[in-house]
Amino acid sequence: QVQLQESGPGLVKPSQALSLSCSVSGGSIIDGGYYWTWIRQLPGKGLEWIGSIYSNGGTYYSPLLRSRVTISLHTSKNQFSLNLNSMTAADTATYYCARLIARAALYYFDYWGQGTLVTVSS
Amino acid sequence: QPVLTQPPSVSASLGASVTLTCTLSSGYSDYKVDWYQQRPGKGPRFVMRVGIGGIVGSKGDGIPDRFSVLGSGLNRYLTIKNIQEEDESDYHCAADHGSGNNFVVLFGGGTKLTVL
């Protein structure tokens, strides 16, 4: 059973960068066929895809956030991370890490973390 | 890239049936859509994938037989029969688009299902 767990600060000051980590257990982040992904949910709103990283390090970002986002793999720790620069109040959200399975006609998020609330405030 | 549209809310009585709709924007009638259930205070979980021909692959772990899907035109439907209190959740649809550097994942706005 794969499990994902987000960690990082719950409070970030405006203009600062957010750094979150996702620890993966029950599977390896270098296994092929999976995209390790960050998704967020603004308060009371729907889900928003931030970006994904493949096991070979290839990255894919939302066009709306591409200029501020970096997603990285940390293979020795079996973790992947999110860095989001120039945070504003509009970035206040619950941030989820998830695994996207990519097999033939199947692309879906099969495992999710529980989410971590990040508030941007001075 | 497609836009996915969902009604903000729907309600149904205990034991009744309800159909949730995810509508793709024009020109994307061949797209498949994934449905996710998000119970209050929890992370989402995969329900199933649907294309124009119906379910693609298998249901997510623990998804009861009461849940089914259908695709027609630009619409992708999730039907829940014999609604239970535990079905009260937000339901999100999502679609992947593009390949290579243009790969993106898009979500609808979500539908809140209230069980009366």
Side-chain angles (χ1 to χ4, degrees):
Chain A
Q1 179 82 349
V2 174
Q3 292 185 316
L4 292 86
Q5 176 70 57
E6 305 90 350
S7 60
L11 181 65
V12 175
K13 288 182 167 51
S15 79
Q16 288 188 342
L18 169 67
S19 289
L20 294 176
S21 293
C22 182
S23 296
V24 179
S25 58
S28 172
I29 61 171
I30 61 173
D31 286 344
Y34 304 108
Y35 294 76
W36 303 96
T37 300
W38 289 98
I39 293 161
R40 69 181 183 179
Q41 186 169 32
L42 278 61
K45 301 295 184 182
L47 300 168
E48 179 184 13
W49 176 74
I50 299 171
S52 302
I53 187 166
Y54 195 61
S55 54
N56 63 3
T59 51
Y60 310 85
Y61 298 133
S62 165
L64 298 177
L65 297 170
R66 179 173 290 135
S67 64
R68 297 197 290 136
V69 174
T70 303
I71 297 176
S72 305
L73 291 177
H74 306 279
T75 55
S76 62
K77 298 180 182 179
N78 212 38
Q79 293 178 348
F80 63 104
S81 64
L82 168 70
N83 191 281
L84 183 62
N85 295 327
S86 305
M87 294 281 283
T88 71
D91 295 310
T92 293
T94 296
Y95 287 76
Y96 294 96
C97 59
R99 188 180 81 168
L100 176 70
I101 186 170
R103 302 257 173 89
L106 296 176
Y107 278 72
Y108 64 92
F109 299 104
D110 59 348
Y111 290 101
W112 297 69
Q114 76 219 24
T116 185
L117 176 62
V118 176
T119 301
V120 183
S121 175
S122 56
Chain B
Q1 59 190 35
V3 175
L4 286 70
T5 302
Q6 300 180 252
S9 63
V10 65
S11 60
S13 298
L14 195 66
S17 295
V18 68
T19 294
L20 308 179
T21 305
C22 176
T23 303
L24 293 154
S25 53
S26 178
Y28 296 98
S29 60
D30 58 339
Y31 270 55
K32 302 172 181 66
V33 153
D34 301 318
W35 282 99
Y36 296 90
Q37 178 192 53
Q38 185 177 25
R39 288 179 170 146
K42 301 291 187 182
R45 71 164 174 165
F46 174 69
V47 177
M48 69 186 90
R49 185 169 175 96
V50 55
I52 199 73
I55 187 172
V56 179
S58 303
K59 294 180 182 179
D61 292 341
I63 300 300
D65 291 342
R66 303 182 290 103
F67 286 66
S68 63
V69 292
L70 187 65
S72 176
L74 293 171
N75 293 320
R76 303 291 179 263
Y77 303 104
L78 174 67
T79 297
I80 309 172
K81 296 181 179 178
N82 186 23
I83 292 172
Q84 303 297 303
E85 288 183 0
E86 71 223 35
D87 299 332
E88 185 162 285
S89 302
D90 291 329
Y91 289 86
H92 306 274
C93 61
D96 56 276
H97 171 75
S99 60
N101 290 335
N102 296 319
F103 175 80
V104 295
V105 178
L106 304 135
F107 286 94
T111 296
K112 181 178 181 59
L113 171 62
T114 300
V115 179
L116 304 173

